[in-house]
Amino acid sequence: MFCIKNVKDDYLDNDKGGVYSVPVYLNVYDLTSFNGYAYWLGLGVYHSGVQVHGIEYAYGGHEDPTTGIFKSVPQQCVGFKLRKSILIGKTNLDPAQVKSMMDKLAKDYKGDAYNLLTKNCNHFCNDVCLSLTGNPIPSWINRLARIGNELFPSSFVNLL
């Protein structure tokens, strides 16, 4: 894991009795240079992570039946180029509550459950954004996976 800065009390909303009001960002990364062209057609292959309280949470696959959720320094996904950071909304959850939510999601997002078309990093980010803000991620981010899921039979998808 990376060293993450401490969360400051800047996010306390004193107008709401000291309740947290924290921005939630979706950081979207290009997985291929083809995205430079595909983006303008509403397509592309993207990785995404959710940034909240100075931490970026994302999901990736591996062979073990342990969590595939990981955290990193925001907007610095190693090996990929940041395309954009999108404000999804705000959350009233404090850092401990976000961690608790991630611990619950870890049961559903195990590394060996990763599937490029049906359970990828963008599916994870959508679930996180809905839980934190009530807002989904923009549809173009996972459009190619949805199209692929419609085109390919489930037996083929399980091989991915």
Side-chain angles (χ1 to χ4, degrees), residues 66-69 101-110 124:
T66 57
T67 186
I69 298 172
M101 184 189 80
M102 293 299 168
D103 290 343
K104 289 176 186 169
L105 283 171
K107 295 172 187 161
D108 292 329
Y109 283 94
K110 299 207 181 287
F124 167 76

Side-chain angles (χ1 to χ4, degrees), residues 64-157:
D64 299 321
T66 57
T67 186
I69 298 172
F70 61 95
K71 49 187 183 174
S72 64
V73 175
Q75 301 182 3
Q76 296 183 26
C77 184
V78 177
F80 302 111
K81 181 183 174 196
L82 180 69
R83 169 159 289 279
K84 60 173 36 184
S85 186
I86 303 166
L87 177 64
I88 299 295
K90 291 190 173 190
T91 186
N92 293 328
L93 297 184
D94 65 32
Q97 291 169 315
V98 171
K99 183 186 180 316
S100 177
M101 184 189 80
M102 293 299 168
D103 290 343
K104 289 176 186 169
L105 283 171
K107 295 172 187 161
D108 292 329
Y109 283 94
K110 299 207 181 287
D112 63 352
Y114 184 93
N115 183 289
L116 189 60
L117 301 181
T118 61
K119 192 170 216 159
N120 64 37
C121 57
N122 301 314
H123 293 103
F124 167 76
C125 287
N126 192 61
D127 286 350
V128 172
C129 287
L130 286 169
S131 294
L132 291 174
T133 70
N135 298 323
I137 67 172
S139 62
W140 59 267
I141 293 168
N142 214 20
R143 183 170 289 140
L144 209 52
R146 283 193 309 279
I147 291 169
N149 196 31
E150 294 293 323
L151 294 175
F152 298 107
S154 61
S155 59
F156 176 77
V157 171

